[in-house]
Amino acid sequence: DQQVKQNSPSLSVQEGRISILNCDYTNSMFDYFLWYKKYPAEGPTFLISISSIKDKNEDGRFTVFLNKSAKHLSLHIVPSQPGDSAVYFCAAGAGGTSYGKLTFGQGTILTVHP
Amino acid sequence: DGGITQSPKYLFRKEGQNVTLSCEQNLNHDAMYWYRQDPGQGLRLIYYSQIVNDFQKGDIAEGYSVSREKKESFPLTVTSAQKNPTAFYLCASTPRTKANEKLFFGSGTQLSVL
């Protein structure tokens, strides 16, 4: 049972345009959400997170939107740069004492073309 | 430089053999985790430890064992009972000072079966 789903295995975007990566979840207990970026043969690096009490969080070129009623979150990257090309994972946690026990989506491969 | 060190980068296992993956952190984090990544899939939690001398099974613990004798170290043994061990293994840690802490990841170990 996949509790966190990224239904788009890949996304291709032109440099300078917006990249939108999507993520859906089913578990109502999830109360915080994170996006990680991963290059091949490396560990994921944290990008941005959002708590369920918010619907938007911004950090530079990265913005995460949360729609709790739809159980959907998205990551917007504006403007996209070739260095953004990587695999992006969304992850969800249930807070409380779950520290670090995250449930990850399958990942979306983002390719930004110059 | 503070961080998480995983070794080796690449590891080969013969059938029937146990192998141990090393994970060391100098971030003074209390909690440590092992995740497994398979192609096209998200990261799945194998084991985690929130304090020295204590650890808990994650979602896919069968065929694996861990120990947490020191705060800095959380080695993972892939036993011969793990029938499909080929994967990218990621160690992570978090301070456990509050809920919703992000995970810090090592650079991973690629395990392959000969």
Side-chain angles (χ1 to χ4, degrees), chain A residues 32 34 36 38 41-44 46 89 95-97 99-102 104-106, chain B residues 9 33 35 37 40 42-43 48 50 88 90 98-100 102-103 105-107:
Chain A
Y32 75 106
L34 309 91
Y36 281 85
K38 184 181 180 301
E42 291 185 14
F46 170 77
F89 289 98
T97 58
Y99 306 97
K101 284 179 60 184
L102 300 177
F104 285 81
Q106 310 95 305
Chain B
K9 184 75 173 172
Y33 308 80
Y35 282 86
Q37 185 194 8
L43 283 64
Y48 64 102
Q50 295 189 344
F88 190 58
L90 287 158
K98 60 179 194 262
N100 304 353
K102 61 180 183 282
L103 286 173
F105 283 91
S107 56

PDB file of all heavy atoms in Angstrom, chain A residues 32 34 36 38 41-44 46 89 95-97 99-102 104-106, chain B residues 9 33 35 37 40 42-43 48 50 88 90 98-100 102-103 105-107:
ATOM      1  N   TYR A  32       3.529  16.473   8.498  1.00  0.00           N
ATOM      2  CA  TYR A  32       4.561  17.315   7.914  1.00  0.00           C
ATOM      3  C   TYR A  32       5.147  16.613   6.701  1.00  0.00           C
ATOM      4  O   TYR A  32       5.135  15.386   6.626  1.00  0.00           O
ATOM      5  CB  TYR A  32       5.619  17.715   8.931  1.00  0.00           C
ATOM      6  CG  TYR A  32       6.611  16.632   9.326  1.00  0.00           C
ATOM      7  CD1 TYR A  32       7.920  16.657   8.863  1.00  0.00           C
ATOM      8  CD2 TYR A  32       6.256  15.622  10.210  1.00  0.00           C
ATOM      9  CE1 TYR A  32       8.830  15.699   9.247  1.00  0.00           C
ATOM     10  CE2 TYR A  32       7.158  14.655  10.593  1.00  0.00           C
ATOM     11  CZ  TYR A  32       8.450  14.695  10.115  1.00  0.00           C
ATOM     12  OH  TYR A  32       9.349  13.745  10.502  1.00  0.00           O
ATOM     13  N   LEU A  34       8.130  16.816   3.362  1.00  0.00           N
ATOM     14  CA  LEU A  34       9.448  17.297   2.970  1.00  0.00           C
ATOM     15  C   LEU A  34       9.709  16.946   1.516  1.00  0.00           C
ATOM     16  O   LEU A  34       9.161  15.973   0.984  1.00  0.00           O
ATOM     17  CB  LEU A  34      10.535  16.655   3.836  1.00  0.00           C
ATOM     18  CG  LEU A  34      10.370  16.693   5.356  1.00  0.00           C
ATOM     19  CD1 LEU A  34       9.641  15.458   5.850  1.00  0.00           C
ATOM     20  CD2 LEU A  34      11.728  16.778   6.045  1.00  0.00           C
ATOM     21  N   TYR A  36      13.060  16.179  -0.982  1.00  0.00           N
ATOM     22  CA  TYR A  36      14.484  15.910  -1.051  1.00  0.00           C
ATOM     23  C   TYR A  36      14.899  15.834  -2.520  1.00  0.00           C
ATOM     24  O   TYR A  36      14.143  15.408  -3.375  1.00  0.00           O
ATOM     25  CB  TYR A  36      14.828  14.571  -0.378  1.00  0.00           C
ATOM     26  CG  TYR A  36      14.894  14.624   1.124  1.00  0.00           C
ATOM     27  CD1 TYR A  36      13.750  14.480   1.902  1.00  0.00           C
ATOM     28  CD2 TYR A  36      16.118  14.816   1.770  1.00  0.00           C
ATOM     29  CE1 TYR A  36      13.819  14.520   3.279  1.00  0.00           C
ATOM     30  CE2 TYR A  36      16.186  14.858   3.155  1.00  0.00           C
ATOM     31  CZ  TYR A  36      15.037  14.707   3.900  1.00  0.00           C
ATOM     32  OH  TYR A  36      15.101  14.757   5.268  1.00  0.00           O
ATOM     33  N   LYS A  38      17.971  14.320  -5.077  1.00  0.00           N
ATOM     34  CA  LYS A  38      18.991  13.272  -5.057  1.00  0.00           C
ATOM     35  C   LYS A  38      19.660  13.148  -6.416  1.00  0.00           C
ATOM     36  O   LYS A  38      19.003  13.014  -7.443  1.00  0.00           O
ATOM     37  CB  LYS A  38      18.356  11.932  -4.659  1.00  0.00           C
ATOM     38  CG  LYS A  38      19.362  10.801  -4.517  1.00  0.00           C
ATOM     39  CD  LYS A  38      18.683   9.508  -4.160  1.00  0.00           C
ATOM     40  CE  LYS A  38      19.695   8.375  -4.006  1.00  0.00           C
ATOM     41  NZ  LYS A  38      20.493   8.141  -5.215  1.00  0.00           N
ATOM     42  N   ALA A  41      23.892   7.909  -7.149  1.00  0.00           N
ATOM     43  CA  ALA A  41      24.948   7.391  -6.272  1.00  0.00           C
ATOM     44  C   ALA A  41      25.296   8.354  -5.137  1.00  0.00           C
ATOM     45  O   ALA A  41      26.416   8.310  -4.615  1.00  0.00           O
ATOM     46  CB  ALA A  41      26.197   7.036  -7.075  1.00  0.00           C
ATOM     47  N   GLU A  42      24.368   9.223  -4.792  1.00  0.00           N
ATOM     48  CA  GLU A  42      24.577  10.102  -3.640  1.00  0.00           C
ATOM     49  C   GLU A  42      23.372  10.018  -2.715  1.00  0.00           C
ATOM     50  O   GLU A  42      22.299   9.548  -3.100  1.00  0.00           O
ATOM     51  CB  GLU A  42      24.760  11.554  -4.089  1.00  0.00           C
ATOM     52  CG  GLU A  42      26.047  11.805  -4.834  1.00  0.00           C
ATOM     53  CD  GLU A  42      26.234  13.287  -5.136  1.00  0.00           C
ATOM     54  OE1 GLU A  42      25.522  14.119  -4.552  1.00  0.00           O
ATOM     55  OE2 GLU A  42      27.116  13.600  -5.969  1.00  0.00           O
ATOM     56  N   GLY A  43      23.537  10.500  -1.492  1.00  0.00           N
ATOM     57  CA  GLY A  43      22.409  10.558  -0.577  1.00  0.00           C
ATOM     58  C   GLY A  43      21.501  11.738  -0.890  1.00  0.00           C
ATOM     59  O   GLY A  43      21.942  12.736  -1.458  1.00  0.00           O
ATOM     60  N   PRO A  44      20.222  11.654  -0.548  1.00  0.00           N
ATOM     61  CA  PRO A  44      19.304  12.781  -0.752  1.00  0.00           C
ATOM     62  C   PRO A  44      19.702  13.974   0.110  1.00  0.00           C
ATOM     63  O   PRO A  44      20.223  13.810   1.213  1.00  0.00           O
ATOM     64  CB  PRO A  44      17.951  12.218  -0.292  1.00  0.00           C
ATOM     65  CG  PRO A  44      18.108  10.739  -0.281  1.00  0.00           C
ATOM     66  CD  PRO A  44      19.545  10.481   0.031  1.00  0.00           C
ATOM     67  N   PHE A  46      18.133  17.623   1.710  1.00  0.00           N
ATOM     68  CA  PHE A  46      16.878  18.273   2.056  1.00  0.00           C
ATOM     69  C   PHE A  46      16.711  19.569   1.269  1.00  0.00           C
ATOM     70  O   PHE A  46      17.642  20.344   1.096  1.00  0.00           O
ATOM     71  CB  PHE A  46      16.871  18.570   3.559  1.00  0.00           C
ATOM     72  CG  PHE A  46      15.743  19.443   4.007  1.00  0.00           C
ATOM     73  CD1 PHE A  46      14.469  18.929   4.157  1.00  0.00           C
ATOM     74  CD2 PHE A  46      15.964  20.777   4.276  1.00  0.00           C
ATOM     75  CE1 PHE A  46      13.430  19.732   4.572  1.00  0.00           C
ATOM     76  CE2 PHE A  46      14.932  21.599   4.690  1.00  0.00           C
ATOM     77  CZ  PHE A  46      13.659  21.073   4.845  1.00  0.00           C
ATOM     78  N   PHE A  89      12.283  13.521  -4.381  1.00  0.00           N
ATOM     79  CA  PHE A  89      11.416  12.664  -3.573  1.00  0.00           C
ATOM     80  C   PHE A  89      10.582  13.538  -2.647  1.00  0.00           C
ATOM     81  O   PHE A  89      11.107  14.445  -1.992  1.00  0.00           O
ATOM     82  CB  PHE A  89      12.247  11.717  -2.699  1.00  0.00           C
ATOM     83  CG  PHE A  89      12.955  10.630  -3.453  1.00  0.00           C
ATOM     84  CD1 PHE A  89      14.297  10.756  -3.796  1.00  0.00           C
ATOM     85  CD2 PHE A  89      12.288   9.471  -3.804  1.00  0.00           C
ATOM     86  CE1 PHE A  89      14.959   9.745  -4.483  1.00  0.00           C
ATOM     87  CE2 PHE A  89      12.939   8.450  -4.491  1.00  0.00           C
ATOM     88  CZ  PHE A  89      14.269   8.593  -4.832  1.00  0.00           C
ATOM     89  N   GLY A  95       4.888  13.117  12.621  1.00  0.00           N
ATOM     90  CA  GLY A  95       5.202  13.973  13.748  1.00  0.00           C
ATOM     91  C   GLY A  95       5.213  13.210  15.055  1.00  0.00           C
ATOM     92  O   GLY A  95       5.460  12.014  15.085  1.00  0.00           O
ATOM     93  N   GLY A  96       4.974  13.900  16.139  1.00  0.00           N
ATOM     94  CA  GLY A  96       4.969  13.256  17.441  1.00  0.00           C
ATOM     95  C   GLY A  96       6.302  12.594  17.704  1.00  0.00           C
ATOM     96  O   GLY A  96       7.339  13.221  17.615  1.00  0.00           O
ATOM     97  N   THR A  97       6.303  11.315  17.958  1.00  0.00           N
ATOM     98  CA  THR A  97       7.551  10.604  18.227  1.00  0.00           C
ATOM     99  C   THR A  97       8.070   9.877  17.000  1.00  0.00           C
ATOM    100  O   THR A  97       8.883   8.981  17.113  1.00  0.00           O
ATOM    101  CB  THR A  97       7.347   9.586  19.367  1.00  0.00           C
ATOM    102  OG1 THR A  97       6.304   8.688  18.986  1.00  0.00           O
ATOM    103  CG2 THR A  97       6.997  10.285  20.652  1.00  0.00           C
ATOM    104  N   TYR A  99       9.955  10.958  14.717  1.00  0.00           N
ATOM    105  CA  TYR A  99      11.250  11.492  14.313  1.00  0.00           C
ATOM    106  C   TYR A  99      11.977  10.722  13.235  1.00  0.00           C
ATOM    107  O   TYR A  99      12.579   9.703  13.485  1.00  0.00           O
ATOM    108  CB  TYR A  99      12.198  11.494  15.519  1.00  0.00           C
ATOM    109  CG  TYR A  99      11.689  12.185  16.739  1.00  0.00           C
ATOM    110  CD1 TYR A  99      11.097  11.472  17.755  1.00  0.00           C
ATOM    111  CD2 TYR A  99      11.808  13.554  16.884  1.00  0.00           C
ATOM    112  CE1 TYR A  99      10.642  12.100  18.893  1.00  0.00           C
ATOM    113  CE2 TYR A  99      11.350  14.189  18.021  1.00  0.00           C
ATOM    114  CZ  TYR A  99      10.775  13.460  19.017  1.00  0.00           C
ATOM    115  OH  TYR A  99      10.324  14.065  20.132  1.00  0.00           O
ATOM    116  N   GLY A 100      11.959  11.241  12.033  1.00  0.00           N
ATOM    117  CA  GLY A 100      12.753  10.641  10.973  1.00  0.00           C
ATOM    118  C   GLY A 100      12.144   9.408  10.351  1.00  0.00           C
ATOM    119  O   GLY A 100      12.669   8.897   9.375  1.00  0.00           O
ATOM    120  N   LYS A 101      11.042   8.901  10.849  1.00  0.00           N
ATOM    121  CA  LYS A 101      10.392   7.756  10.225  1.00  0.00           C
ATOM    122  C   LYS A 101       9.513   8.288   9.109  1.00  0.00           C
ATOM    123  O   LYS A 101       8.321   8.472   9.272  1.00  0.00           O
ATOM    124  CB  LYS A 101       9.545   6.990  11.242  1.00  0.00           C
ATOM    125  CG  LYS A 101      10.338   6.135  12.199  1.00  0.00           C
ATOM    126  CD  LYS A 101       9.429   5.437  13.186  1.00  0.00           C
ATOM    127  CE  LYS A 101       8.439   4.533  12.494  1.00  0.00           C
ATOM    128  NZ  LYS A 101       7.493   3.916  13.459  1.00  0.00           N
ATOM    129  N   LEU A 102      10.151   8.539   8.000  1.00  0.00           N
ATOM    130  CA  LEU A 102       9.456   9.149   6.886  1.00  0.00           C
ATOM    131  C   LEU A 102       8.989   8.097   5.901  1.00  0.00           C
ATOM    132  O   LEU A 102       9.630   7.058   5.728  1.00  0.00           O
ATOM    133  CB  LEU A 102      10.373  10.149   6.173  1.00  0.00           C
ATOM    134  CG  LEU A 102      10.896  11.303   7.028  1.00  0.00           C
ATOM    135  CD1 LEU A 102      11.842  12.173   6.208  1.00  0.00           C
ATOM    136  CD2 LEU A 102       9.748  12.135   7.575  1.00  0.00           C
ATOM    137  N   PHE A 104       8.383   7.712   1.913  1.00  0.00           N
ATOM    138  CA  PHE A 104       8.820   8.384   0.695  1.00  0.00           C
ATOM    139  C   PHE A 104       7.984   7.975  -0.510  1.00  0.00           C
ATOM    140  O   PHE A 104       7.510   6.837  -0.602  1.00  0.00           O
ATOM    141  CB  PHE A 104      10.288   8.040   0.404  1.00  0.00           C
ATOM    142  CG  PHE A 104      11.276   8.727   1.292  1.00  0.00           C
ATOM    143  CD1 PHE A 104      11.550   8.240   2.557  1.00  0.00           C
ATOM    144  CD2 PHE A 104      11.934   9.865   0.860  1.00  0.00           C
ATOM    145  CE1 PHE A 104      12.467   8.875   3.382  1.00  0.00           C
ATOM    146  CE2 PHE A 104      12.855  10.508   1.673  1.00  0.00           C
ATOM    147  CZ  PHE A 104      13.119  10.016   2.935  1.00  0.00           C
ATOM    148  N   GLY A 105       7.836   8.911  -1.434  1.00  0.00           N
ATOM    149  CA  GLY A 105       7.282   8.586  -2.737  1.00  0.00           C
ATOM    150  C   GLY A 105       8.348   7.931  -3.604  1.00  0.00           C
ATOM    151  O   GLY A 105       9.513   7.791  -3.201  1.00  0.00           O
ATOM    152  N   GLN A 106       7.950   7.559  -4.826  1.00  0.00           N
ATOM    153  CA  GLN A 106       8.853   6.806  -5.715  1.00  0.00           C
ATOM    154  C   GLN A 106       9.883   7.699  -6.385  1.00  0.00           C
ATOM    155  O   GLN A 106      10.851   7.204  -6.962  1.00  0.00           O
ATOM    156  CB  GLN A 106       8.069   6.086  -6.816  1.00  0.00           C
ATOM    157  CG  GLN A 106       6.890   5.263  -6.337  1.00  0.00           C
ATOM    158  CD  GLN A 106       5.599   6.043  -6.417  1.00  0.00           C
ATOM    159  OE1 GLN A 106       5.495   7.142  -5.868  1.00  0.00           O
ATOM    160  NE2 GLN A 106       4.614   5.470  -7.074  1.00  0.00           N
TER     161      GLN A 106
ATOM    162  N   LYS B   9      31.659   2.353  -0.451  1.00  0.00           N
ATOM    163  CA  LYS B   9      30.781   2.947  -1.443  1.00  0.00           C
ATOM    164  C   LYS B   9      30.106   1.846  -2.265  1.00  0.00           C
ATOM    165  O   LYS B   9      28.937   1.944  -2.629  1.00  0.00           O
ATOM    166  CB  LYS B   9      31.601   3.857  -2.356  1.00  0.00           C
ATOM    167  CG  LYS B   9      30.770   4.621  -3.385  1.00  0.00           C
ATOM    168  CD  LYS B   9      30.014   5.755  -2.738  1.00  0.00           C
ATOM    169  CE  LYS B   9      29.326   6.613  -3.795  1.00  0.00           C
ATOM    170  NZ  LYS B   9      28.422   7.606  -3.182  1.00  0.00           N
ATOM    171  N   TYR B  33      19.104   5.993  11.206  1.00  0.00           N
ATOM    172  CA  TYR B  33      18.164   5.222  10.399  1.00  0.00           C
ATOM    173  C   TYR B  33      18.886   4.542   9.244  1.00  0.00           C
ATOM    174  O   TYR B  33      19.879   5.041   8.744  1.00  0.00           O
ATOM    175  CB  TYR B  33      17.094   6.158   9.793  1.00  0.00           C
ATOM    176  CG  TYR B  33      16.418   7.040  10.804  1.00  0.00           C
ATOM    177  CD1 TYR B  33      17.030   8.201  11.256  1.00  0.00           C
ATOM    178  CD2 TYR B  33      15.163   6.711  11.315  1.00  0.00           C
ATOM    179  CE1 TYR B  33      16.421   9.007  12.204  1.00  0.00           C
ATOM    180  CE2 TYR B  33      14.546   7.516  12.257  1.00  0.00           C
ATOM    181  CZ  TYR B  33      15.181   8.658  12.694  1.00  0.00           C
ATOM    182  OH  TYR B  33      14.567   9.452  13.629  1.00  0.00           O
ATOM    183  N   TYR B  35      17.774   3.207   5.415  1.00  0.00           N
ATOM    184  CA  TYR B  35      16.777   3.123   4.355  1.00  0.00           C
ATOM    185  C   TYR B  35      17.381   2.352   3.182  1.00  0.00           C
ATOM    186  O   TYR B  35      18.591   2.351   2.973  1.00  0.00           O
ATOM    187  CB  TYR B  35      16.380   4.513   3.861  1.00  0.00           C
ATOM    188  CG  TYR B  35      15.418   5.254   4.754  1.00  0.00           C
ATOM    189  CD1 TYR B  35      15.881   6.014   5.821  1.00  0.00           C
ATOM    190  CD2 TYR B  35      14.048   5.202   4.519  1.00  0.00           C
ATOM    191  CE1 TYR B  35      14.990   6.694   6.639  1.00  0.00           C
ATOM    192  CE2 TYR B  35      13.148   5.889   5.324  1.00  0.00           C
ATOM    193  CZ  TYR B  35      13.638   6.632   6.381  1.00  0.00           C
ATOM    194  OH  TYR B  35      12.756   7.312   7.190  1.00  0.00           O
ATOM    195  N   GLN B  37      16.950   1.862  -1.100  1.00  0.00           N
ATOM    196  CA  GLN B  37      16.359   2.388  -2.316  1.00  0.00           C
ATOM    197  C   GLN B  37      16.530   1.380  -3.438  1.00  0.00           C
ATOM    198  O   GLN B  37      17.630   0.929  -3.714  1.00  0.00           O
ATOM    199  CB  GLN B  37      17.001   3.714  -2.728  1.00  0.00           C
ATOM    200  CG  GLN B  37      16.303   4.324  -3.940  1.00  0.00           C
ATOM    201  CD  GLN B  37      17.074   5.442  -4.580  1.00  0.00           C
ATOM    202  OE1 GLN B  37      18.232   5.716  -4.245  1.00  0.00           O
ATOM    203  NE2 GLN B  37      16.456   6.124  -5.511  1.00  0.00           N
ATOM    204  N   GLY B  40      13.320   2.956  -9.237  1.00  0.00           N
ATOM    205  CA  GLY B  40      11.915   3.268  -9.470  1.00  0.00           C
ATOM    206  C   GLY B  40      11.053   3.233  -8.225  1.00  0.00           C
ATOM    207  O   GLY B  40       9.826   3.360  -8.320  1.00  0.00           O
ATOM    208  N   GLY B  42      10.590   4.414  -3.941  1.00  0.00           N
ATOM    209  CA  GLY B  42      11.009   5.341  -2.895  1.00  0.00           C
ATOM    210  C   GLY B  42      11.895   4.644  -1.883  1.00  0.00           C
ATOM    211  O   GLY B  42      12.152   3.446  -1.969  1.00  0.00           O
ATOM    212  N   LEU B  43      12.375   5.417  -0.931  1.00  0.00           N
ATOM    213  CA  LEU B  43      13.191   4.869   0.133  1.00  0.00           C
ATOM    214  C   LEU B  43      12.292   4.146   1.136  1.00  0.00           C
ATOM    215  O   LEU B  43      11.237   4.652   1.513  1.00  0.00           O
ATOM    216  CB  LEU B  43      13.947   5.991   0.855  1.00  0.00           C
ATOM    217  CG  LEU B  43      15.162   6.578   0.151  1.00  0.00           C
ATOM    218  CD1 LEU B  43      14.828   7.268  -1.154  1.00  0.00           C
ATOM    219  CD2 LEU B  43      15.886   7.545   1.082  1.00  0.00           C
ATOM    220  N   TYR B  48      15.669   1.558  12.681  1.00  0.00           N
ATOM    221  CA  TYR B  48      16.024   2.858  13.216  1.00  0.00           C
ATOM    222  C   TYR B  48      16.343   2.736  14.695  1.00  0.00           C
ATOM    223  O   TYR B  48      15.926   1.791  15.359  1.00  0.00           O
ATOM    224  CB  TYR B  48      14.918   3.896  12.976  1.00  0.00           C
ATOM    225  CG  TYR B  48      13.617   3.634  13.670  1.00  0.00           C
ATOM    226  CD1 TYR B  48      13.267   4.321  14.832  1.00  0.00           C
ATOM    227  CD2 TYR B  48      12.702   2.730  13.150  1.00  0.00           C
ATOM    228  CE1 TYR B  48      12.056   4.087  15.467  1.00  0.00           C
ATOM    229  CE2 TYR B  48      11.486   2.488  13.774  1.00  0.00           C
ATOM    230  CZ  TYR B  48      11.163   3.171  14.927  1.00  0.00           C
ATOM    231  OH  TYR B  48       9.961   2.938  15.549  1.00  0.00           O
ATOM    232  N   GLN B  50      16.639   5.368  18.131  1.00  0.00           N
ATOM    233  CA  GLN B  50      16.461   6.723  18.651  1.00  0.00           C
ATOM    234  C   GLN B  50      17.405   7.016  19.821  1.00  0.00           C
ATOM    235  O   GLN B  50      17.528   8.169  20.246  1.00  0.00           O
ATOM    236  CB  GLN B  50      15.006   6.941  19.063  1.00  0.00           C
ATOM    237  CG  GLN B  50      14.060   6.878  17.870  1.00  0.00           C
ATOM    238  CD  GLN B  50      12.650   7.309  18.197  1.00  0.00           C
ATOM    239  OE1 GLN B  50      12.273   7.381  19.352  1.00  0.00           O
ATOM    240  NE2 GLN B  50      11.856   7.576  17.178  1.00  0.00           N
ATOM    241  N   PHE B  88      20.515   0.161  -3.132  1.00  0.00           N
ATOM    242  CA  PHE B  88      21.314   1.287  -2.654  1.00  0.00           C
ATOM    243  C   PHE B  88      20.873   1.555  -1.220  1.00  0.00           C
ATOM    244  O   PHE B  88      19.698   1.794  -0.961  1.00  0.00           O
ATOM    245  CB  PHE B  88      21.072   2.492  -3.559  1.00  0.00           C
ATOM    246  CG  PHE B  88      22.000   3.646  -3.342  1.00  0.00           C
ATOM    247  CD1 PHE B  88      23.376   3.484  -3.464  1.00  0.00           C
ATOM    248  CD2 PHE B  88      21.513   4.903  -3.032  1.00  0.00           C
ATOM    249  CE1 PHE B  88      24.247   4.552  -3.283  1.00  0.00           C
ATOM    250  CE2 PHE B  88      22.379   5.971  -2.851  1.00  0.00           C
ATOM    251  CZ  PHE B  88      23.744   5.793  -2.970  1.00  0.00           C
ATOM    252  N   LEU B  90      21.012   3.591   2.335  1.00  0.00           N
ATOM    253  CA  LEU B  90      21.245   4.946   2.841  1.00  0.00           C
ATOM    254  C   LEU B  90      21.090   4.990   4.350  1.00  0.00           C
ATOM    255  O   LEU B  90      20.103   4.519   4.899  1.00  0.00           O
ATOM    256  CB  LEU B  90      20.260   5.922   2.204  1.00  0.00           C
ATOM    257  CG  LEU B  90      20.543   6.241   0.740  1.00  0.00           C
ATOM    258  CD1 LEU B  90      19.289   6.746   0.045  1.00  0.00           C
ATOM    259  CD2 LEU B  90      21.651   7.280   0.633  1.00  0.00           C
ATOM    260  N   LYS B  98      13.263  17.738  18.448  1.00  0.00           N
ATOM    261  CA  LYS B  98      11.859  18.100  18.323  1.00  0.00           C
ATOM    262  C   LYS B  98      11.265  17.298  17.171  1.00  0.00           C
ATOM    263  O   LYS B  98      11.985  16.721  16.372  1.00  0.00           O
ATOM    264  CB  LYS B  98      11.692  19.592  18.052  1.00  0.00           C
ATOM    265  CG  LYS B  98      12.366  20.101  16.783  1.00  0.00           C
ATOM    266  CD  LYS B  98      12.109  21.574  16.606  1.00  0.00           C
ATOM    267  CE  LYS B  98      12.465  21.996  15.191  1.00  0.00           C
ATOM    268  NZ  LYS B  98      13.732  22.577  15.046  1.00  0.00           N
ATOM    269  N   ALA B  99       9.966  17.295  17.108  1.00  0.00           N
ATOM    270  CA  ALA B  99       9.302  16.585  16.018  1.00  0.00           C
ATOM    271  C   ALA B  99       9.527  17.338  14.708  1.00  0.00           C
ATOM    272  O   ALA B  99       9.921  18.494  14.690  1.00  0.00           O
ATOM    273  CB  ALA B  99       7.806  16.485  16.306  1.00  0.00           C
ATOM    274  N   ASN B 100       9.303  16.659  13.632  1.00  0.00           N
ATOM    275  CA  ASN B 100       9.392  17.229  12.286  1.00  0.00           C
ATOM    276  C   ASN B 100      10.810  17.627  11.900  1.00  0.00           C
ATOM    277  O   ASN B 100      11.015  18.474  11.047  1.00  0.00           O
ATOM    278  CB  ASN B 100       8.477  18.449  12.112  1.00  0.00           C
ATOM    279  CG  ASN B 100       7.028  18.129  12.429  1.00  0.00           C
ATOM    280  OD1 ASN B 100       6.681  16.975  12.646  1.00  0.00           O
ATOM    281  ND2 ASN B 100       6.209  19.135  12.452  1.00  0.00           N
ATOM    282  N   LYS B 102      14.241  17.256   9.963  1.00  0.00           N
ATOM    283  CA  LYS B 102      14.574  16.634   8.701  1.00  0.00           C
ATOM    284  C   LYS B 102      15.692  15.615   8.903  1.00  0.00           C
ATOM    285  O   LYS B 102      16.466  15.701   9.853  1.00  0.00           O
ATOM    286  CB  LYS B 102      15.020  17.684   7.686  1.00  0.00           C
ATOM    287  CG  LYS B 102      16.247  18.480   8.085  1.00  0.00           C
ATOM    288  CD  LYS B 102      16.580  19.479   6.986  1.00  0.00           C
ATOM    289  CE  LYS B 102      17.841  20.253   7.286  1.00  0.00           C
ATOM    290  NZ  LYS B 102      17.597  21.324   8.272  1.00  0.00           N
ATOM    291  N   LEU B 103      15.755  14.669   7.990  1.00  0.00           N
ATOM    292  CA  LEU B 103      16.813  13.663   7.999  1.00  0.00           C
ATOM    293  C   LEU B 103      18.040  14.183   7.268  1.00  0.00           C
ATOM    294  O   LEU B 103      17.926  14.864   6.255  1.00  0.00           O
ATOM    295  CB  LEU B 103      16.339  12.398   7.288  1.00  0.00           C
ATOM    296  CG  LEU B 103      15.335  11.504   8.003  1.00  0.00           C
ATOM    297  CD1 LEU B 103      14.870  10.408   7.061  1.00  0.00           C
ATOM    298  CD2 LEU B 103      15.940  10.895   9.246  1.00  0.00           C
ATOM    299  N   PHE B 105      21.312  12.663   5.359  1.00  0.00           N
ATOM    300  CA  PHE B 105      21.683  11.381   4.764  1.00  0.00           C
ATOM    301  C   PHE B 105      23.186  11.295   4.497  1.00  0.00           C
ATOM    302  O   PHE B 105      23.845  12.298   4.212  1.00  0.00           O
ATOM    303  CB  PHE B 105      20.966  11.172   3.426  1.00  0.00           C
ATOM    304  CG  PHE B 105      19.533  10.774   3.573  1.00  0.00           C
ATOM    305  CD1 PHE B 105      18.529  11.729   3.611  1.00  0.00           C
ATOM    306  CD2 PHE B 105      19.177   9.441   3.669  1.00  0.00           C
ATOM    307  CE1 PHE B 105      17.204  11.365   3.737  1.00  0.00           C
ATOM    308  CE2 PHE B 105      17.844   9.060   3.794  1.00  0.00           C
ATOM    309  CZ  PHE B 105      16.861  10.030   3.838  1.00  0.00           C
ATOM    310  N   GLY B 106      23.708  10.052   4.552  1.00  0.00           N
ATOM    311  CA  GLY B 106      25.040   9.767   4.053  1.00  0.00           C
ATOM    312  C   GLY B 106      25.000   9.613   2.547  1.00  0.00           C
ATOM    313  O   GLY B 106      23.947   9.774   1.920  1.00  0.00           O
ATOM    314  N   SER B 107      26.155   9.280   1.970  1.00  0.00           N
ATOM    315  CA  SER B 107      26.247   9.214   0.506  1.00  0.00           C
ATOM    316  C   SER B 107      25.896   7.841  -0.050  1.00  0.00           C
ATOM    317  O   SER B 107      25.882   7.654  -1.254  1.00  0.00           O
ATOM    318  CB  SER B 107      27.644   9.617   0.050  1.00  0.00           C
ATOM    319  OG  SER B 107      28.602   8.804   0.686  1.00  0.00           O
TER     320      SER B 107
END
